[in-house]
Amino acid sequence: MADAYFNLTGKVALVTGASQGLGAGFARTLAAHGAKVVLGARQAGKLQALAEEIGAIGGIAHAVSLDVTCRASVTAALDEAEEALGPVDVLVNNAGIAITKPFLEMTDADYDQVLDTNLKGCFIVGQEVARRMAGRPEDSCGGSIINIASVLGTDVIGQLSTYCTSKAGLIQLTRAMALELSRAKIRVNAIAPGYIETPINSDFFHTPAGEKLIKGIPQRRLGRDGDLDGALLLLASDASAYMTGSTITVDGGFLVA
Ligand code: NAD
């Protein structure tokens, strides 16, 4: 049931990279709090089951094909989303990838792929959504853009040089967008998750190296489903009306260890 403080009824939220992992969880949570949710992923077909699951619990979801690295794909997805559910009020820039390799072996193609998805992708989707938000009538209630960064935007670990670089850039992009978009009533904030168990990394955390990493987290556990919901709902809703340019760390204490 929608909590009054984090009530998103009447809002349309777009989640990029919604086909699995954190993005699918964000979409479920936003829908459970009343938002109409646009699910974006490169293949819309992969999102049908999630759209139906949200529909079955009384929510409204619409799947669109969207590749965050391609501006034409983003504008087409936004046109379709507006047609289906109305203009986007909340954007969750979640799509992201990592390539794990020693720095000396990282190729130009690796660099481009990670930076294009994690940083330029957020630039493209954020800019296209913000242009539409800024063009809305004066009396509209504004918009919220939430960039999914990482604790590795400030900390670094081995073999993830391009990933760490992309997330550091995203934290600064968040601040720069917040500065310039405030006048248009658009708030831009980021969430920096620590290690959250998702299908993509679950195997690693059951290896000796993964178990060692968990022991280094002050709370001695990985983040799990729902641990990011408080930050997500705060930033998506009017409860954070006076917040912009912030990055909220949700990491079980990883960064202070
Ligand atoms: P994931 O691999 O399970 O999900 C990433 C999603 O992004 C997938 O649906 C994928 O298809 C999509 N995607 C990739 N490239 C895309 C593109 N060009 N266009 C559209 N969609 C694309 O990963 P996750 O663990 O759910 O991570 C989600 C976000 O959270 C990422 O930005 C990641 O960097 C960030 N993050 C994750 C963790 C963690 O521990 N899981 C920690 C910190 C930050």
Side-chain angles (χ1 to χ4, degrees), residues 11 22 25 37 44 47 57 103 113 118 122 124 126 130-131 133 143 145 152 171 181 193 195 218 221 225-226 229 256:
K11 293 194 193 288
L22 300 183
V37 184
L47 298 163
I57 55 157
F103 173 73
Q113 204 186 338
N118 297 3
C122 291
I124 292 173
R131 281 180 177 154
M133 286 173 171
I145 296 177
L152 298 181
I171 290 170
L181 297 175
Y195 294 94
R221 70 164 178 88
D225 203 22
D229 285 358
V256 294

Side-chain angles (χ1 to χ4, degrees), residues 17 19-20 22 42 66-68 94 148-149 163 167 193-194 196 198:
S19 60
Q20 61 177 41
L22 300 183
R42 282 165 293 186
L66 175 157
D67 180 340
V68 299
N94 164 78
I148 305 303
Y163 182 82
K167 295 297 185 178
I196 315 290
T198 60

Side-chain angles (χ1 to χ4, degrees), residues 16-26 40-43 46-47 65-70 73 93-98 113 116-118 121-122 125 147-152 163 166-167 170 191-201 205 222-223 228 250:
T16 68
S19 60
Q20 61 177 41
L22 300 183
F26 292 150
R42 282 165 293 186
Q43 292 162 291
K46 278 191 172 177
L47 298 163
S65 292
L66 175 157
D67 180 340
V68 299
T69 65
C70 170
S73 148
N93 253 331
N94 164 78
I97 58 167
Q113 204 186 338
D116 281 356
T117 306
N118 297 3
C122 291
V125 185
N147 292 326
I148 305 303
S150 167
V151 288
L152 298 181
Y163 182 82
S166 71
K167 295 297 185 178
L170 184 55
I191 298 174
Y195 294 94
I196 315 290
E197 190 162 11
T198 60
I200 207 87
N201 59 26
F205 288 116
L222 296 171
L228 300 177
V250 185

Side-chain angles (χ1 to χ4, degrees), residues 104-189:
L104 292 177
E105 290 170 24
M106 226 26 116
T107 65
D108 289 358
D110 295 333
Y111 180 93
D112 288 345
Q113 204 186 338
V114 174
L115 272 288
D116 281 356
T117 306
N118 297 3
L119 184 53
K120 192 174 177 191
C122 291
F123 165 77
I124 292 173
V125 185
Q127 190 181 54
E128 289 297 336
V129 168
R131 281 180 177 154
R132 291 168 193 238
M133 286 173 171
R136 290 170 70 174
E138 268 291 296
D139 59 353
S140 73
C141 57
S144 171
I145 296 177
I146 304 166
N147 292 326
I148 305 303
S150 167
V151 288
L152 298 181
T154 43
D155 202 13
V156 284
I157 61 169
Q159 308 215 21
L160 281 172
S161 53
T162 50
Y163 182 82
C164 296
T165 303
S166 71
K167 295 297 185 178
L170 184 55
I171 290 170
Q172 278 293 66
L173 179 65
T174 300
R175 301 177 73 226
M177 288 171 69
L179 179 68
E180 292 197 35
L181 297 175
S182 285
R183 289 287 171 85
K185 293 204 283 185
I186 301 168
R187 299 182 298 102
V188 188
N189 295 284

